[in-house]
Amino acid sequence: MHHIPRLSEAVYVGMCRYVGSPTEVRIRREVTDTEEVMNRPVWITRGLDRMKSGSHREGLRLPTSDRDFMFWLPDHKVICDVSQISLYLIPQHTVILMECEDLTPGFARLKIMTPSEDQKVKSSCVPTDGGI
């Protein structure tokens, strides 16, 4: 009797042909990691830290994929719990609390806990009932 592949196997094979094998995707991730380690000193001297994100960072090279980057100020620290504020030196660090409760999955609310001297950060902030 002729074996008919299961749909999941056919999808897997098709995806491997389209985006690459798991090994190719892993190598792309490792190359991206290496590039970022090598380029980090250049970005830090410009006063920023940077990393790729999104599907490109995950090793997927789809024709319609864009390239996503995250930039941040190295002296701005994001914490997930208010108790972590004691880990940083104030005023040398601007501390930002990331809140995820009562929000759509994949979204976060950022709350400035200590003042920022950066004009772009200041202009991006809005007052709310619970802070800025």
Side-chain angles (χ1 to χ4, degrees), residues 33-108:
D33 290 345
T34 302
E35 284 175 340
E36 288 188 346
V37 167
M38 291 172 56
N39 290 327
R40 188 165 190 257
V42 173
W43 286 101
I44 293 293
T45 60
R46 294 177 184 173
L48 290 173
D49 215 338
R50 176 191 101 149
M51 74 179 290
K52 285 182 183 176
S53 59
S55 60
H56 201 266
R57 168 137 189 114
E58 295 304 317
L60 305 176
R61 303 295 188 267
L62 305 173
T64 57
S65 291
D66 60 354
R67 293 190 185 203
D68 301 305
F69 293 91
M70 291 189 295
F71 293 88
W72 66 93
L73 299 163
D75 61 347
H76 284 54
K77 307 298 182 181
V78 178
I79 60 174
C80 298
D81 188 278
V82 177
S83 66
Q84 295 171 312
I85 201 167
S86 63
L87 301 173
Y88 298 103
L89 302 172
I90 298 162
Q92 292 96 320
H93 294 125
T94 296
V95 181
I96 302 166
L97 176 65
M98 180 174 64
E99 298 177 322
C100 299
E101 304 84 35
D102 303 323
L103 294 172
T104 305
F107 286 80

Side-chain angles (χ1 to χ4, degrees), residues 21-34 59 61:
S21 70
T23 301
E24 291 170 314
V25 171
R26 181 181 47 78
I27 289 169
R28 289 182 200 135
R29 282 189 198 128
E30 290 174 4
V31 167
T32 297
D33 290 345
T34 302
R61 303 295 188 267

